[in-house]
Amino acid sequence: MSNFLDNMDVIDGNNHVTNVLLQDRNTLALATSIASRIDNEIIPQIDGNHVYNTATDLNLDNTGTEDCSSILSGITDNVGLKSGTYLIDSNCVINAQVVFARGAIFNVTAGHTLTINGQILAGRYTIFSGDGTIVVDETKQDFGYPEWFNDDVIKCYSVFRHVILGYKTYILNGDLHINKENSCIEGISYQMLATEVCCRLYFASGRIIIGDIEGTVINNYPCNITLKNVYIDSSANLEMISVYGVVRCYLENLYLKSATTACGITFYKAIGSYVKNVYVQSVGVTGTFFGFYFRDIYGNDLAGERSASVWLENCTYADTAPANGNTIGFYISSGHSDIFMNACEVAGASVGLAIQNQLHGYDIDILISNCDFDSCRSRSVLLDNCTAGMISFSNCYAAMSADGQGAVFMINNCTNNVSINGFQIIMTSNLQIGLQILSAVSALLNGIIITGAGTSFVATDSTKIKGTYLDNGTPVTI
């Protein structure tokens, strides 16, 4: 039967019925021709122009019981996978673009490798499972989501050197070791209020380790490692971020907060690195805590065993809900050269800035400008046991808490060179000393303003100290 009216019954006045044909032979032939073209040409052409080969077209099993490796390895065009589990139970190389519908998962079994040499198109949902190895061609797919690995950030970084975090909390149980050259782990933002949505890494155990832990040769260190736009929280009593052997490490827009860890960021062997807009907060610490710590654990005169040329810009440490812990905002120990701090701040630590044991010829320059060390309980600034290098302050501010006693700015047992050019020191009680120098340090003082009810300046040996300061508005020349 045709798809249109081709005949009808005609009834006359005597109720006689006559069947009348409504199409001629040419019309019938044309209709037959069109139907033939639809069936034999148009439909096959549409069917052959699918953008993706479907799992059904390829006879791929999506129940997770049959190995799909052989079929997938034979694909030369793109493939689109509907929901289901696709078993990879032998080595498999896909030279095509792969599209994952939500619920479509490659289950790669242990001992086997899935290699994808094409773009991956998927949202923030799981697309990989199993204990096997996944390799991607990063010239085709240059980033990955932790959601592709069931929120496993560590697994995601093992596959992709560029990991993009979402607005959520990722729980880590172990170290996140960022050690690939030209790699980046980045979020979208970090929170400032508990109710805000943000990119958050929570360490139930472990820490972030950046760079080469064991190496001592700078030319072998990985280069260009970035961590940015992330809120980091931890319940482990460890350093939150440990920076080992790396050249050009970039830490930007980070918020680190903990009540249990021992340190915010520790620098061991960072070379030519940049730390910007990093906020470290400890809450109710009872033990020892360092906000930013340059640590020497080697003690050898090797360039590859110390940090050099590290910039800290707009970095802050805050000791909130203090519980009589020993907290130090910025601590620079021996063995580090060319440390630059600008527009950094400390609020409420035991010691705001401590520079200690600069004893070696490679302790060259520590330059501090436009920094604020406020409301400290023991010392705002402490230079201790430094015999080498130069320490310079420019346009800074220091004040202790009202219950603090002793020196706001103390130089103790130092014989190196110190330059202070523009520094406001506020004594908040009469039991405090503004600037105390207990050594034969070589110092140039210019533009120091000391105010408050305590003792403004004390020096046990002023033979190498030259300059002027204001004592509550009165100029004093040394």
Side-chain angles (χ1 to χ4, degrees), residues 34 68 155 181 253 265 295 361 364 373 401 429:
I34 293 173
C68 298
K155 179 69 173 178
E181 285 207 351
N253 301 329
I265 304 175
R295 186 178 181 188
I364 301 171
F373 309 100
S401 59
S429 83

Side-chain angles (χ1 to χ4, degrees), residues 192-220:
M192 289 303 295
L193 300 174
T195 56
E196 291 178 332
V197 177
C198 68
C199 302
R200 177 174 180 248
L201 298 178
Y202 173 72
F203 284 84
S205 63
R207 56 178 170 158
I208 294 175
I209 300 174
I210 296 175
D212 182 350
I213 299 177
E214 302 297 335
T216 59
V217 180
I218 293 176
N219 288 341
N220 293 337

